[in-house]
Amino acid sequence: MSRFDIVIIGGGIAGASLGAELAADASVLILEREDSAGYHATGRSVAFWEETYGGRAVQPLTTASGPLLRSPEPDFCSRSFLSPRRTLHIGRAGDEEARDRLVEEFAGRVELRPVDPVTFLPGLRPQWTLGLLEPAVCDIDVAALHHAYLRQFRVRGGKLWLGASLDSASSDSAGWRIQSSEGVIECGIIVNAAGAWADDVALRSGVAPIGITPLRRTVVQLRVPTMPGPDLPLVMDLRSRFYFKPEGEGRIWLTPHDEEPSTPCDAAPEELAVAEAIARFQNVVDWPIEAVERKWAGLRSFAPDRAPVFGFDARASRFFWFAGQGGFGIQTAPAAALLGAALLTGNAASEAVAGVDAAAYSPARFG
């Protein structure tokens, strides 16, 4: 039998980042059911740091994460995880309301500059006349960030078990007894950082599910040899029907911005979604497509109100939710981990997240 202060279920960016914050002061185990950590949503992300992405509920975490991603502590990583990108939000006649709503929602919080979109996107078809530039947007080196958290977790004494799953868990006044694929584990606190499997982990632990819903997102990599250059902005539809961004010379990553409900699984792309993505792209720019080089899908998991869930369950005081990050878990990871660690330990929150309202993410909001 093994004994830990805290067992985290899930080794993606959520579990790795929170584990790294906790491991210095507690014995922490991450249980990861796959043979490699970050196999699902983390490893399939088209991650970028964009303050408007996710809406007002997510923006405080994204904004607070920016400086931590841009200038990490030297003992965490010797270089920035961010590289400049910018976002060009585009629309057609009739999309003025969506444009104005975005500006109003983030007024005084995020710089959004009206622009002529063709100036930033050569080859744009003439019906796309509306443009907003969000200049602060950056790409995120997801693999480097995830690996840095796992490395810090190990350096601070944390243990990572791969290919290890929680089968069931029961609690008493002393804590939890976990039946896992690797044997019995005892711990004081369970952290549910299982992404698409968050509700399943709750049920296996005798805790009522919150209603975390996995939604499939499809991505394709296109070879577009006439693309003007790799430094073009990320292009987002004001009505959320697509986005695409350069991925090196002559290649883009493209999604139809689909959100198809799914059971927790090893997600695969649907051909209809791939075709829809390509059709929408061809309606935006006149760049000929030479090949579809790759296609994949991931699961973005949302609570009913689409805001993250951080905190102890109202009816299971030693069961800590760290889930529902949707498609925004990478860009919010540093701030979310600091906030989650403070909520779990009861310690004062880091100054970096002092302005973030933790109550907005409490599981208590679901009654």
Side-chain angles (χ1 to χ4, degrees), residues 46-48 83-88 120-121 139 220-222 224 227-235 243-254 281 287:
V46 187
F48 43 82
S83 54
R85 173 59 61 193
R86 302 173 299 170
T87 288
L88 178 65
F120 296 87
L121 193 64
D139 289 337
V220 296
Q221 178 175 301
L222 302 180
V224 190
M227 185 179 79
D231 60 344
L232 293 170
L234 165 67
V235 179
Y243 67 76
F244 59 87
K245 77 182 186 81
E247 183 59 24
E249 193 73 45
R251 287 176 171 81
I252 65 158
W253 281 358
L254 161 71
F281 175 74
W287 312 335

Side-chain angles (χ1 to χ4, degrees), residues 97-295:
E97 183 180 348
R99 177 199 59 192
D100 296 344
R101 187 166 57 246
L102 184 66
V103 171
E104 182 180 356
E105 183 176 10
F106 292 99
R109 294 169 177 256
V110 180
E111 181 183 0
L112 289 166
R113 186 188 312 157
V115 294
D116 179 358
V118 75
T119 304
F120 296 87
L121 193 64
L124 185 68
R125 297 194 185 276
Q127 65 267 33
W128 296 91
T129 56
L130 304 179
L132 283 175
L133 187 70
E134 188 173 348
V137 174
C138 293
D139 289 337
I140 304 175
D141 188 334
V142 180
L145 180 64
H146 188 226
H147 291 162
Y149 274 124
L150 289 175
R151 181 174 61 249
Q152 186 177 63
F153 176 67
R154 292 190 182 100
V155 166
R156 291 178 171 177
K159 304 296 182 185
L160 171 63
W161 291 2
L162 297 173
S165 59
L166 178 149
D167 297 330
S168 64
S170 57
S171 64
D172 58 26
S173 59
W176 291 92
R177 182 181 180 89
I178 297 172
Q179 302 290 336
S180 82
S181 59
E182 301 301 304
V184 177
I185 307 165
E186 290 187 344
C187 67
I189 294 170
I190 288 178
V191 173
N192 185 357
W197 284 264
D199 270 5
D200 181 64
V201 166
L203 287 167
R204 289 172 183 261
S205 305
V207 175
I210 280 176
I212 303 289
T213 302
L215 303 176
R216 188 180 67 243
R217 170 62 52 85
T218 306
V219 184
V220 296
Q221 178 175 301
L222 302 180
R223 187 163 72 245
V224 190
T226 60
M227 185 179 79
D231 60 344
L232 293 170
L234 165 67
V235 179
M236 279 202 161
D237 176 34
L238 282 165
R239 291 194 178 275
S240 300
R241 293 164 292 200
F242 61 82
Y243 67 76
F244 59 87
K245 77 182 186 81
E247 183 59 24
E249 193 73 45
R251 287 176 171 81
I252 65 158
W253 281 358
L254 161 71
T255 174
H257 218 270
D258 50 337
E259 291 190 341
E260 205 55 43
S262 171
T263 57
C265 66
D266 187 354
E270 296 283 345
E271 289 304 320
L272 184 60
V274 171
E276 187 64 41
I278 294 170
R280 293 179 186 182
F281 175 74
Q282 291 177 318
N283 188 45
V284 176
V285 291
D286 62 6
W287 312 335
I289 298 170
E290 190 170 278
V292 177
E293 295 186 320
R294 293 174 56 206
K295 49 190 174 183

